[in-house]
Amino acid sequence: MDATLIAMNNEAVRTASERLLRQLRAEGLRYRLWVTGSDRGSTVHMRVSDLHPEMKARIVNVLQGRGVGLDVEDMSSL
């Protein structure tokens, strides 16, 4: 897979992730999201304000099962 195709895939994953998170955003979820990837796969990275275990579980439930890695962290822990 060449760099252009990887970038296109990462953007598709980012767009889909944003759409899947729409309900949580409406409930007040605030985050930064970006996607990194290679020819072996993509990872969705999220930095979330005031992340608590229940919200992390909801985020994982929304985003899992799409064949991408997940990296979800609280912004305050960084």
Side-chain angles (χ1 to χ4, degrees):
M1 190 180 313
D2 70 5
T4 303
L5 190 54
I6 292 168
M8 288 172 43
N9 182 68
N10 288 347
E11 182 59 19
V13 169
R14 187 198 63 76
T15 300
S17 297
E18 292 285 0
R19 288 182 181 154
L20 290 168
L21 292 165
R22 185 177 298 146
Q23 176 62 39
L24 296 178
R25 270 196 318 276
E27 294 176 23
L29 180 67
R30 299 293 172 248
Y31 61 88
R32 278 187 51 224
L33 183 144
W34 69 98
V35 179
T36 59
S38 67
D39 57 349
R40 296 185 345 196
S42 297
T43 300
V44 174
H45 304 272
M46 288 183 72
R47 299 301 176 258
V48 182
S49 296
D50 302 317
L51 182 63
H52 54 277
E54 296 82 14
M55 181 55 74
K56 185 171 183 176
R58 288 182 70 193
I59 291 167
V60 169
N61 283 337
V62 167
L63 296 179
Q64 74 181 356
R66 297 181 313 126
V68 299
L70 297 176
D71 169 31
V72 181
E73 297 289 333
D74 190 333
M75 279 187 199
S76 64
S77 68
L78 302 175

